[in-house]
Amino acid sequence: MPDLLIQNISQIATPKPGVTRGSELRSLNVIENASIFISDGVIQAIGPLSEVLKQVEGHPVILDAEGKAAVPGFVDSHSHLVFGGNRADEFAMRSAGMSYEEIAEQGGGIVSTVEATQLATKEELKNIARIRLQKALRQGITTMEIKSGYGLNLDNERKMLEVINELKEEQPIELKATFLGAHAVPKNSTKEEYVEEVLNMIPEIAELADYCDVFCEDGYFTKDESRSILEKGMEHGLKPKIHTNQFNDIGGVEMALDLDAVSVDHLEVLSDEDVDRIAGSDTVATILPGVSYFLNIPYSPARKLIDRGALVALATDFNPGSSMTISMQLLMSMACTKMGMSVEEALSCATQNGAKALERKKLGCIAPGFQADILLLDTDNYKDLAYFFGENHVHTVIKKGEKVWESRG
């Protein structure tokens, strides 16, 4: 891999290295008229060209940023990108006034996605997922977590995880795999039977996943059922994550923190006591404003979480039923307009703190020693990412020091 020197950058905007929470989220490192030198996929120097050139040896490839701003690559730490089928018709039905229950009675809802995913071959799922990943890359996502959870039996959950693992080697976005067998209870099974089935799946699929997740919510899996699944995952090397407090508070946060979960995700319904619990931990609170927008439900109390010192990440929750978006830029705008976050906080939560939710310490920051995942924007001001919403402001994507996508527009 040749060395790379990016010069004529109007502005580098990046979180500072280290753990970023509370008021620190607003304090970006903003460097005007800057350059970046990259060697072996790692950032070696940033700053004025005259200073950066002192670190350069040999003859690196020169990339002229032509006055564009640079930010870290986005880290999407919560997605369901691998699935079959399409639920656009259901969205139209719901928009026309039909209830979720009425749609489900007609065979819609998660059941339709499960059926389509089970019917799809592994190659079909991989081809669909590859196209979605190409869209994500163009939107500036350079690292992404993808969950299973639309298989709901051993063969199909394994099929989904195999797709994720094979795609790790076949395209540039860095992927993490999460086993979410406990996403819903399949038809023709009692919950007790399915919990036992999920527990039996874990030893069979553990080598294919990094994390174990569960939907801890009324009508899905109780706190105790969720604990048993997450603890079984931990026995087999899968670190715990959890979907919880989306519609109801059934004790999922306290249980997950007791297990030192890597992240607690959703959190649309959150008590002050749980805000304080999260803030006193190193567990990342992953907020998903696309869900609130799509389903027209309350947004997570991001302002409270940040002000009390919680580690907060911003993610897409890309999925066919509740957040059909793959734009981190749009979510940054939502975070600012609907959740009371500043542009600087939104950028930090979409990059460095997303990396923390995936335990990637050297991602999400433009600084010496960090992996060179960098976006060049079509603007000279990083604030346009949230301000000029509905637009893709990514012009060039650099992953591990290599240019992997560039706008031709």
Side-chain angles (χ1 to χ4, degrees):
M1 178 191 305
D3 293 349
L4 179 65
L5 176 63
I6 311 173
Q7 55 191 36
N8 294 328
I9 302 169
S10 66
Q11 175 190 74
I12 296 172
T14 176
K16 296 175 182 176
V19 176
T20 308
R21 57 171 94 207
S23 61
E24 296 172 341
L25 283 171
R26 288 178 178 258
S27 182
L28 297 181
N29 189 16
V30 179
I31 306 171
E32 307 288 343
N33 303 314
S35 297
I36 304 171
F37 175 55
I38 300 162
S39 182
D40 294 326
V42 176
I43 297 167
Q44 303 298 322
I46 64 172
L49 180 60
S50 59
E51 294 299 315
V52 169
L53 286 174
K54 295 176 182 178
Q55 305 293 319
V56 175
E57 296 180 357
H59 302 282
V61 174
I62 305 296
L63 176 57
D64 187 350
E66 299 178 331
K68 298 176 178 66
V71 298
F74 295 126
V75 180
D76 185 0
S77 59
H78 183 129
S79 89
H80 304 253
L81 181 132
V82 176
F83 60 86
N86 182 295
R87 286 159 67 179
D89 288 343
E90 292 179 29
F91 174 76
M93 292 160 65
R94 193 172 75 239
S95 300
M98 190 174 290
S99 71
Y100 182 86
E101 290 75 16
E102 291 171 324
I103 293 170
E105 287 173 1
Q106 296 187 21
I110 191 173
V111 170
S112 65
T113 300
V114 170
E115 290 177 349
T117 303
Q118 290 180 346
L119 287 171
T121 66
K122 187 168 79 172
E123 282 304 313
E124 288 170 338
L125 283 180
K126 189 195 293 187
N127 288 336
I128 295 168
R130 186 182 290 109
I131 292 169
R132 293 175 185 148
L133 285 168
Q134 290 169 352
K135 294 178 184 292
L137 186 69
R138 292 196 295 268
Q139 290 283 340
I141 293 173
T142 54
T143 302
M144 174 179 272
E145 181 259 18
I146 305 176
K147 304 178 191 295
S148 67
Y150 293 119
L152 303 190
N153 60 43
L154 177 59
D155 288 344
N156 284 290
E157 288 292 308
R158 180 189 285 119
K159 177 176 69 177
M160 294 183 71
L161 291 169
E162 287 177 348
V163 166
I164 299 166
N165 279 272
E166 290 176 18
L167 285 170
K168 288 180 181 180
E169 308 302 324
E170 297 178 13
Q171 51 76 56
I173 296 178
E174 194 170 334
L175 303 179
K176 288 278 196 174
T178 296
F179 171 62
L180 180 60
H183 194 192
V185 178
K187 293 190 302 183
N188 304 318
S189 176
T190 67
K191 188 161 63 158
E192 291 74 16
E193 290 170 340
Y194 189 60
V195 168
E196 188 64 28
E197 187 175 348
V198 171
L199 292 172
N200 290 333
M201 286 186 212
I202 289 173
E204 301 293 327
I205 57 78
E207 65 180 6
L208 296 172
D210 303 289
Y211 303 106
C212 183
D213 198 344
V214 61
F215 189 21
C216 182
E217 180 58 72
D218 274 349
Y220 292 86
F221 299 92
T222 67
K223 178 180 69 173
D224 291 339
E225 291 163 346
S226 299
R227 177 187 283 272
S228 68
I229 291 166
L230 294 177
E231 287 181 336
K232 183 75 168 183
M234 293 168 70
E235 290 175 13
H236 291 271
L238 302 181
K239 295 185 179 180
K241 287 177 171 282
I242 189 169
H243 286 59
T244 193
N245 290 58
Q246 182 175 2
F247 302 109
N248 301 279
D249 181 354
I250 62 170
V253 168
E254 187 173 10
M255 180 272 294
L257 295 180
D258 187 51
L259 296 179
D260 292 323
V262 176
S263 69
V264 286
D265 301 19
H266 275 290
L267 310 178
E268 288 87 352
V269 177
L270 200 60
S271 68
D272 284 346
E273 291 78 12
D274 277 345
V275 170
D276 288 336
R277 288 186 180 107
I278 296 169
S281 77
D282 290 326
T283 294
V284 177
T286 302
I287 57 176
L288 309 166
V291 176
S292 299
Y293 171 82
F294 198 80
L295 297 182
N296 197 23
I297 62 174
Y299 289 80
S300 303
R303 188 73 266 145
K304 281 186 180 180
L305 287 161
I306 291 170
D307 289 345
R308 296 190 193 179
L311 279 167
V312 177
L314 185 65
T316 66
D317 194 15
F318 175 60
N319 77 85
S322 63
S323 187
M324 193 65 183
T325 182
I326 209 158
S327 172
M328 293 288 279
Q329 299 167 70
L330 180 58
L331 297 178
M332 285 178 60
S333 186
M334 290 180 190
C336 295
T337 60
K338 298 296 184 182
M339 305 173 84
M341 292 170 63
S342 71
V343 176
E344 291 75 18
E345 288 168 337
L347 181 60
S348 295
C349 293
T351 55
Q352 188 178 61
N353 282 8
K356 287 181 171 55
L358 298 181
E359 303 176 290
R360 295 289 280 108
K361 293 181 180 180
K362 291 298 183 179
L363 281 186
C365 182
I366 299 177
F370 279 72
Q371 184 168 294
D373 292 5
I374 299 166
L375 309 178
L376 297 180
L377 308 180
D378 67 358
T379 172
D380 61 2
N381 189 338
Y382 72 92
K383 295 173 185 174
D384 278 330
L385 285 168
Y387 165 64
F388 190 174
F389 66 96
E391 285 289 312
N392 181 13
H393 294 288
V394 175
H395 181 277
T396 303
V397 180
I398 296 163
K399 179 67 180 179
K400 297 181 181 177
E402 292 190 64
K403 184 166 68 175
V404 292
W405 183 79
E406 183 177 43
S407 171
R408 300 302 180 186

